[in-house]
């Protein structure tokens, strides 16, 4: 390794070697930054606020914020115990459980939407039963939340699991010595220590839920005020009025940036 | 480290055994056996100049145009016709944003006219090549027990339409206006209150009804023919809206000759008979 490095610097000199890192980095960064800049640049028009504040975009933003918040709350409520269990318990088939949880992260959302429809649609495996007792999920706001849960909640579980796993085993033992029970250990020791990992996981889930599109349009459809979230309004708006689509996109980018800045801050405090 | 090396070796041997054409990236140059570069397979003798024709076509044309495209390719050796099917409004936006397209077939005049106004299509060059009309589709088992057109106003049924931005969605709402006048005012409002989703293109409407998620949907006759498992309710001519589909070459096309040939083929007896087979009303 050292030999080849010497050989390399003899040919190119130390000054050039920096560019080996800088050039690819700059290309990749430009690739990410340019579309965002182009979008912001083209959306600056006299009718920007009219577009961004229209009835349709307001309804879509409200629906997106409400559904993604509910998704995040459910993910935290159900995901925290699951993450804890995955991080601290030893049991068989754990690797398989983790695989099931990772699958939604890598699956295309269209697959998620189709799977949800086949499972919970009116003719679905479980949907048929639900339909018999008078519950119909597709085309409802519940469907929007379920689609978001499916693709976004695993991000929270993953982050929380890593947070819990990093906690020193000895701490757990000394808590037991002090006479703490399972719940006290979890609630009074583990949660406070892992809180930043939990918070940043929750925000990741929130941003992902906010941006969910593919599963939602397949499973929940598109109806203003009921299932038309921001990303769907952008997609439909793109066809009617590019101005509306761009204004909505900029609003969504701003919301996402704010959420990501909060995550960054949390990560920094951790260090 | 030792395990890593043996793993690398094992992997290399495996890849060599498989006759992989590309050398694996060795973890360390010294350890990985070098692979002899494999010979490139002999290339086939060149056929007539390969050409690609890109056609953007309304989603309702999917089945018919795939068949027409295959026939056109077979009749013109070396030509490959590729399609992008979608809502006409989506395709129009994509063209305006610079998608490289040779031919555009729209489900309404509006999108074509917009392209003419914006100089993507030469004025007066677009030709109507078929007409299409609307029909109500129901799942095979008809869960909402719909018998006639008036039943679309039954409270609580799940109706799926194409969005108003999509040509067929626009036509559906125009048909409701006609029905409103015929069945009594308030009909349109009652029907629109039953809409559970405004889908992005006509094929999505078909899919939602096929899955049984919706009790009814409104699509083109041609879509109903492409989905024979569905039940239909006909819409009488005086309440129906006739869609006229225009087709045109794009100004920026790099295959103008081929584009003209394709359009000619669509308008020919063969092309029109394929369209008729898929439920469209041919022009000739």
């Amino acid at each position: 390794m050292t030999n080849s490095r010497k050989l390399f610097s003899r040919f190119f000199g130390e000054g050039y070697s920096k560019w080996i890192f800088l050039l690819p980095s700059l290309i990749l960064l430009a690739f990410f930054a340019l579309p965002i800049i182009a979008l912001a640049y083209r959306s600056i028009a006299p009718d920007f606020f009219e577009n961004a504040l229209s009835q349709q975009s307001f309804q879509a933003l409200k629906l997106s914020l409400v559904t993604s918040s509910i998704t995040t709350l459910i993910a935290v409520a159900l995901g925290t115990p699951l993450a804890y269990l995955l991080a601290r318990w030893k049991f068989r088939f754990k690797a398989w459980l983790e695989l099931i949880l990772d699958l939604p992260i890598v699956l295309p959302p269209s697959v998620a939407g189709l799977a949800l429809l086949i499972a919970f649609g009116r003719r679905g495996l479980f949907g048929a039963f639900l339909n018999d007792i008078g519950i119909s999920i597709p085309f409802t706001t519940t469907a929007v939340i379920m689609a978001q849960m499916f693709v976004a909640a695993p991000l929270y579980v993953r982050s929380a699991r890593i947070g819990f796993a990093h906690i020193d085993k000895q701490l757990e033992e000394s808590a037991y010595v002090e006479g703490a029970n399972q719940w006290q250990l979890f609630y009074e020791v583990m949660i406070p220590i892992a809180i930043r990992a939990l918070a940043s996981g929750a925000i990741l889930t929130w941003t992902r839920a906010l941006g969910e599109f593919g599963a939602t349009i397949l499973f929940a459809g598109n109806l203003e005020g009921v299932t038309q979230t921001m990303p769907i309004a952008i997609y439909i708006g793109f066809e009617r009025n590019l101005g509306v689509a761009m204004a909505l996109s900029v609003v969504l980018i701003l919301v996402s940036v704010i959420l990501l800045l909060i995550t960054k801050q949390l990560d920094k405090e951790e260090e | 480290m030792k395990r890593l090396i043996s793993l690398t070796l094992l992997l290399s041997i495996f890849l060599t055994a498989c006759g992989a054409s590309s050398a694996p990236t060795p973890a360390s140059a010294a350890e990985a056996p070098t692979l002899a570069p494999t010979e490139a397979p002999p290339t086939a003798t060149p056929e007539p100049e390969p050409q690609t024709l890109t056609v953007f076509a309304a989603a309702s044309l999917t089945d018919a145009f795939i068949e027409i495209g295959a026939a056109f390719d077979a009749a013109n050796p070396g030509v490959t016709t590729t399609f992008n099917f979608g809502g006409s409004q989506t395709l129009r936006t994509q063209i305006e944003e610079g998608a490289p397209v040779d031919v555009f077939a729209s489900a309404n005049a509006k999108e074509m006219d917009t392209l003419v106004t914006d100089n993507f299509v030469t004025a007066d060059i677009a030709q109507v090549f078929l007409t299409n009309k609307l029909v109500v589709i129901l799942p095979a088992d008809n869960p909402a027990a719909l018998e006639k057109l008036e039943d679309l106003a039954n409270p609580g049924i799940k109706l799926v339409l194409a969005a108003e931005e999509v040509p067929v969605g626009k036509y559906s709402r125009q048909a409701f206006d006609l029905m409103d006048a015929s069945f009594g005012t308030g009909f349109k409002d009652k029907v629109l209150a039953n809409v559970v989703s405004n889908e992005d293109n006509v094929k999505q409407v078909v899919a939602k009804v096929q899955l049984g998620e919706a009790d009814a949907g409104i699509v083109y006759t041609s879509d109903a023919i492409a989905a024979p498992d569905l039940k239909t309710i006909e819409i009488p001519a005086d309440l129906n809206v006739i869609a006229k589909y225009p087709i045109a070459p794009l100004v920026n096309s790099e295959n103008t000759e081929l584009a003209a040939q394709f359009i000619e083929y669509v308008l020919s007896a063969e092309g029109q008979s394929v369209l008729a087979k898929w439920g469209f009303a041919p022009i000739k």
Side-chain angles (χ1 to χ4, degrees):
Chain A
M1 200 61 213
T2 18
N3 273 338
S4 62
R5 197 187 295 153
K6 266 184 199 151
L7 205 69
F8 180 83
S9 50
R10 197 189 301 159
F11 276 113
F12 297 100
E14 275 303 331
Y16 284 100
S17 68
K18 269 191 290 195
W19 287 99
I20 292 291
F21 296 96
L22 274 176
L23 199 63
S25 310
L26 286 177
I27 291 172
L28 195 58
L29 280 176
F31 176 71
F32 293 136
L34 287 180
I36 307 280
I37 292 168
L39 191 64
Y41 177 75
R42 262 191 69 175
S43 69
I44 300 169
D47 54 356
F48 176 82
F49 285 102
E50 193 188 316
N51 283 334
L53 301 173
S54 69
Q55 168 77 10
Q56 190 194 5
S57 63
F58 179 73
Q59 271 197 335
L61 180 62
K62 190 176 124 191
L63 184 71
S64 267
L65 288 175
V66 169
T67 52
S68 58
S69 304
I70 294 174
T71 298
T72 311
L73 285 178
I74 299 175
V76 170
L78 304 179
T80 314
L82 177 60
Y84 185 72
L85 192 145
L86 287 173
R88 313 300 293 190
W89 291 13
K90 284 202 180 80
F91 51 90
R92 287 177 70 189
F93 307 120
K94 194 164 128 181
W96 289 101
L97 253 181
E98 289 173 349
L99 189 102
I100 291 173
L101 280 168
D102 284 341
L103 210 49
I105 297 174
V106 296
L107 277 183
S110 50
V111 174
L114 192 62
L116 284 168
L117 209 48
I118 300 301
F120 299 109
R122 209 153 58 152
R123 303 276 170 78
L125 204 52
F126 311 106
F129 166 74
L130 291 176
N131 196 49
D132 287 343
I133 57 172
I135 300 170
S136 175
I137 295 172
F139 309 124
T140 61
T141 308
T142 309
V144 176
I145 294 170
M146 284 171 71
Q148 292 176 352
M149 274 293 289
F150 193 85
V151 298
L155 293 172
Y156 174 77
V157 177
R158 174 185 268 198
S159 175
R161 189 187 71 200
I162 294 169
F164 286 133
H166 276 167
I167 298 172
D168 197 345
K169 265 267 184 229
Q170 282 189 332
L171 211 65
E172 196 177 329
E173 277 155 23
S174 51
Y176 279 132
V177 171
E178 297 284 328
N181 60 27
Q182 279 273 0
W183 170 251
Q184 282 173 322
L185 173 74
F186 171 67
Y187 189 71
E188 289 171 21
V189 180
M190 296 300 193
I191 294 251
I193 296 175
I195 190 72
R196 288 205 182 85
L198 303 188
S200 81
I203 290 173
L204 267 181
T205 291
W206 197 10
T207 41
R208 180 67 188 85
L210 206 55
E212 210 317 293
F213 169 73
T216 311
I217 199 161
L218 271 175
F219 185 46
N222 164 42
L223 195 65
E224 228 174 282
V226 182
T227 58
Q228 190 182 81
T229 56
M230 285 283 273
I232 293 174
I234 289 168
Y235 184 66
I236 299 288
F238 158 72
E239 294 164 351
R240 177 163 54 183
N241 181 344
L242 208 54
V244 172
M246 287 192 296
L248 286 175
S249 303
V250 171
V251 172
L252 198 57
I253 289 173
L254 286 178
V255 175
S256 304
V257 165
I258 292 170
L259 289 174
L260 286 175
L261 281 178
I262 298 174
T263 337
K264 273 268 180 307
Q265 195 59 37
L266 286 168
D267 287 348
K268 209 187 283 171
E269 280 172 25
E270 183 141 26
E271 287 161 14
Chain B
M1 194 58 199
K2 225 175 187 167
R3 269 180 65 186
L4 189 73
I5 293 170
S6 51
L7 202 72
T8 316
L9 271 171
L10 208 70
L11 193 73
S12 318
I13 291 163
F14 176 69
L15 286 172
T16 321
C18 289
S21 55
S22 61
T25 321
S28 155
E31 284 146 15
T34 40
L35 286 174
T38 45
E39 300 277 328
T43 45
T45 42
E47 297 264 316
E49 189 77 9
Q51 278 180 291
T52 306
L53 184 74
T54 307
V55 178
F56 276 28
S60 44
L61 292 167
T62 307
D63 302 294
F65 263 34
I66 285 175
E67 192 175 330
I68 286 180
F72 182 71
D73 288 356
N76 297 278
V79 172
T80 313
T81 311
T82 59
F83 293 102
N84 178 17
F85 297 107
S88 303
Q89 74 298 342
T90 310
L91 302 176
R92 190 256 303 148
T93 315
Q94 287 171 350
I95 292 170
E96 285 175 340
E97 293 300 313
V101 189
D102 300 309
V103 175
F104 177 46
S106 171
N108 67 1
K110 188 183 145 223
E111 310 303 340
M112 191 61 89
D113 292 347
T114 311
L115 289 179
V116 170
T117 314
D118 299 344
N119 295 319
F120 286 95
V121 170
T122 316
D124 300 325
I125 205 172
Q127 308 178 59
V128 172
F129 66 103
L130 65 83
T131 62
N132 209 349
K133 55 188 201 312
L134 303 176
V135 68
V136 179
I137 51 170
L138 317 167
D141 61 349
N142 194 2
L146 306 177
E147 300 294 334
K148 51 192 188 304
L149 217 46
E150 291 93 313
D151 293 346
L152 289 180
N154 289 355
I157 72 153
K158 290 184 199 299
L159 179 65
V160 171
L161 298 180
E164 218 173 333
E165 293 79 14
V166 188
V168 65
K170 188 91 186 158
Y171 295 139
S172 306
R173 285 160 179 86
Q174 285 170 2
F176 293 149
D177 283 330
L178 297 173
M179 293 172 200
D180 212 38
S182 173
F183 297 149
T185 36
F187 179 80
K188 184 183 183 183
D189 291 338
K190 278 187 226 159
V191 172
L192 290 183
N194 285 335
V195 174
V196 290
S197 185
N198 293 304
E199 296 294 329
D200 175 53
N201 69 57
V202 69
K203 292 295 180 195
Q204 279 298 319
V205 179
V206 176
K208 294 284 153 73
V209 176
Q210 267 177 329
L211 280 168
E213 297 306 338
D215 297 322
I218 296 186
V219 298
Y220 295 116
T221 327
S222 53
D223 297 300
I225 285 180
D229 51 326
L230 297 176
K231 275 194 174 156
T232 57
I233 298 178
E234 297 299 325
I235 302 177
D238 58 326
L239 302 179
N240 214 321
V241 178
I242 306 297
K244 290 182 179 151
Y245 286 44
I247 190 167
L250 274 293
V251 169
N252 296 333
S253 164
E254 284 171 8
N255 301 303
T256 34
E257 215 168 286
L258 202 57
Q261 274 179 36
F262 181 79
I263 293 172
E264 204 176 293
Y265 188 79
V266 169
L267 287 161
S268 72
E270 291 111 312
Q272 295 279 300
S273 74
V274 174
L275 292 170
K277 184 182 131 193
W278 286 101
F280 297 99
I283 276 310
K284 290 180 179 169

